[in-house]
Amino acid sequence: MKLTAFQVHKSWLIRVALVLVVTVVADALTAWFVPRPLLWCALIGSSLPISMAVFVVIPMLREARGQS
């Protein structure tokens, strides 16, 4: 049986997609409802690498450490 790329990388690809969607939705809601959103939108956008590290990279490293 031949695996597709999504089947191989599904464990981290879904996490990345969820983090991106949550960040974009939070940024859009902030831009829509906050009277002066420039600072808040910049902070939310710049938190993306930290969110990726916490919700994607660290769980993947723990999973890889558990398998070896």
Side-chain angles (χ1 to χ4, degrees):
M1 185 168 109
K2 200 172 194 180
L3 295 174
T4 64
F6 179 73
Q7 291 171 335
V8 173
H9 300 290
K10 181 171 52 173
S11 64
W12 64 269
L13 192 59
I14 292 173
R15 290 179 187 156
V16 168
L18 286 173
V19 169
L20 284 173
V21 166
V22 168
T23 303
V24 168
V25 168
D27 210 13
L29 289 174
T30 301
W32 196 353
F33 289 115
V34 175
R36 298 180 70 186
L38 183 62
L39 175 64
W40 291 108
C41 288
L43 289 174
I44 291 171
S46 64
S47 72
L48 188 59
I50 296 169
S51 301
M52 288 290 181
V54 170
F55 295 114
V56 179
V57 175
I58 293 173
M60 284 181 55
L61 290 174
R62 286 184 184 155
E63 184 178 307
R65 190 179 311 144
Q67 291 177 354
S68 63

